[in-house]
Amino acid sequence: MKKIISVVGLIISMNTYAGLDEGIELYHAGKYKEAFVMFNAESEKGDPAGQHLTASLYYQGLGVEKDLEIAVKLFKQAAEGGYLPSIANLGLMYMQGDGVEQDPNSSFKYTEKAAELGDLQSIFNLGQFYRKGFGVEPNQEKAAQWYGSAAESGVIQAQNEYGLMFAQGHGVELDYVKAYAWIKMPAEAGDGQALKNLAQLKEILGSDISKAEKLAEEYKLKYAANK
């Protein structure tokens, strides 16, 4: 799977095919103008991947003058064609007000669609939206469900947030043992907030720490990001 990632973390490419592979090779070689020609040719044919890649160059200002308006237009065309990376990007852009006016409702719409199609960052973000009430009524149970889905797929941020849901009894039954087991994975990965949360849980657990450590090892085997 070849990817081109922009400096702000938008998804720029997923699976492609021969007609675009040459353009991606040119991109990685720093030949952005030549890559733009290849991508734009496919974009003008109505190909969603070509639209997405062309949009990414307009977004970054590589090989072509930066133009966020055109980038958004092309991302939307690719999204209408069902291209997952563009759908996910639009969710982020409307969330951050990046190239568009910040719009929680539009962000939720695109993020929900991307999450349902399996984009892990969008799955985590949807958990955030439901917990905070961004573009949707707050719903702690749904927040926990989406966090859990991302956490089980190895998303470190989600594992910490999901653990906190158990530690606070929000959307799930209060369970310090499960909270510890989920939070230990991001803590071991070096997440600063998770390390603080884990230290607090150790104090709370007391004699139950051995039970929590055992479950943490089980979770690590099943759900760690680099298992």
Side-chain angles (χ1 to χ4, degrees):
M1 181 182 293
K2 297 182 177 179
K3 290 188 177 182
I4 304 171
I5 305 297
S6 78
V7 293
V8 295
L10 291 184
I11 304 169
I12 304 305
S13 177
M14 286 188 69
N15 293 330
T16 59
Y17 45 82
L20 292 173
D21 282 347
E22 184 178 349
I24 290 175
E25 290 176 5
L26 289 166
Y27 177 97
H28 285 299
K31 298 179 180 180
Y32 303 121
K33 289 184 179 180
E34 293 91 334
F36 175 81
V37 171
M38 299 294 294
F39 296 158
N40 194 51
E42 297 301 322
S43 176
E44 290 181 346
K45 296 176 185 176
D47 177 74
Q51 291 165 342
H52 178 86
L53 290 164
T54 304
S56 76
L57 294 184
Y58 275 112
Y59 178 87
Q60 298 173 91
L62 295 177
V64 66
E65 185 175 350
K66 184 170 183 174
D67 192 320
L68 294 181
E69 185 176 346
I70 294 177
V72 171
K73 178 181 177 181
L74 289 170
F75 279 138
K76 286 184 175 180
Q77 288 176 357
E80 288 170 2
Y83 198 66
L84 176 55
S86 285
I87 298 168
N89 281 356
L90 288 165
L92 289 171
M93 294 172 81
Y94 277 109
M95 177 177 68
Q96 299 165 353
D98 182 12
V100 293
E101 289 290 328
Q102 187 181 49
D103 185 341
N105 291 331
S106 292
S107 180
F108 179 83
K109 179 185 72 173
Y110 283 114
T111 300
E112 182 180 45
K113 185 172 182 180
E116 290 172 347
L117 290 172
D119 180 70
L120 290 179
Q121 183 62 51
S122 297
I123 290 171
F124 169 70
N125 287 344
L126 203 59
Q128 296 280 74
F129 290 0
Y130 273 114
R131 183 168 67 84
K132 299 177 180 180
F134 185 81
V136 67
E137 287 294 316
N139 187 313
Q140 299 305 306
E141 288 76 18
K142 288 187 177 180
Q145 290 170 11
W146 287 106
Y147 280 148
S149 180
E152 290 175 1
S153 296
V155 178
I156 289 175
Q157 290 173 298
Q159 291 170 345
N160 182 63
E161 295 298 332
Y162 195 40
L164 286 175
M165 299 293 272
F166 281 104
Q168 298 163 352
H170 291 170
V172 291
E173 186 175 348
L174 181 71
D175 190 323
Y176 293 124
V177 171
K178 286 184 179 179
Y180 183 93
W182 280 113
I183 292 174
K184 188 174 183 182
M185 286 180 283
E188 289 185 340
D191 183 274
Q193 189 57 55
L195 285 165
K196 293 178 182 178
N197 294 336
L198 199 69
Q200 292 178 346
L201 284 167
K202 284 181 179 179
E203 295 181 4
I204 293 171
L205 282 163
S207 60
D208 283 335
I209 189 66
S210 58
K211 185 189 302 183
E213 289 286 2
K214 181 180 179 181
L215 186 62
E217 285 303 309
E218 293 177 10
Y219 280 12
K220 184 176 180 179
L221 290 173
K222 292 176 66 176
Y223 307 124
N226 297 315
K227 64 180 182 293

